[in-house]
Amino acid sequence: MNTTMIIELAGYLGSTLVVVSMLMSSVVKLRVINTIGSVISATYALIIHSYPLALMNICLIVINCYNLVKLLRSEQEYDLIPVKADDAFLKYFVERYQQDIQNFFGGKAADASADTAYIVCCGAVPAGLLLGKISGEGVLDISVDYTTPAYRDCSVGKYLYSRLPEYGIRKLVYSGELQKHEDYLLKVGFAKENGRYEKKLG
């Protein structure tokens, strides 16, 4: 394989990554993959002396980096809203994301026995949902701990867990079906204890 072909393949790779990034539901993943694709495309454009293409990709890199920094510092933009289990907006949230919630929590969008609910918003946009039942002093038995696709970078969970002690919750327990949820639980600090997952707060 000669140098010219390698350069051409790099150009195709960069363009492919830029296109693939547009298919990402997570804003963070979109920005990261788009930035990688733009870096490769800008390098390719400079090698072949296509300066307008290089300039466009450099602009994309700057825009992506700017927005990534904003996203990574977005904790201050989150708001935690305690709601009642029969709240109309909570019901709408669950119905709106019912299929996705079921993919993570084993076929049930919500637990009818839940007596505690919190919604996390980012700039007035719903980003996360926590449903559960108080099973002991300061212990919340989780039935649903869900984040919408656009905010699925663990920042919603970290913000949520940092605020829950203000509401008297000191320990989280999850013992339901895992489906695709186990990786997330381990990533945000849950530990497996006696067949269930636990996380101490505060």
Side-chain angles (χ1 to χ4, degrees), residues 117-178:
Y118 298 93
I119 293 175
V120 177
C121 289
C122 182
V125 177
L129 167 67
L130 180 69
L131 279 175
K133 185 176 183 179
I134 300 297
S135 59
E137 187 175 350
V139 179
L140 179 64
D141 193 348
I142 297 170
S143 56
V144 172
D145 183 3
Y146 174 76
T147 302
T148 59
Y151 298 94
R152 206 161 282 166
D153 61 352
C154 296
S155 61
V156 171
K158 290 175 182 176
Y159 170 80
L160 173 64
Y161 305 147
S162 72
R163 293 289 311 277
L164 287 177
E166 298 174 23
Y167 297 88
I169 297 174
R170 302 293 174 184
K171 185 178 182 180
L172 298 173
V173 176
Y174 182 78
S175 54
E177 296 180 56
L178 284 173

Side-chain angles (χ1 to χ4, degrees), residues 30-63:
L30 186 155
R31 295 291 181 188
V32 170
I33 295 174
N34 193 282
T35 300
I36 294 170
S38 296
V39 168
I40 295 172
S41 294
T43 303
Y44 167 76
L46 289 171
I47 291 173
I48 67 170
H49 305 292
S50 178
Y51 299 114
L53 179 60
L55 179 61
M56 181 193 73
N57 280 284
I58 290 169
C59 289
L60 286 175
I61 293 167
V62 172
I63 291 169

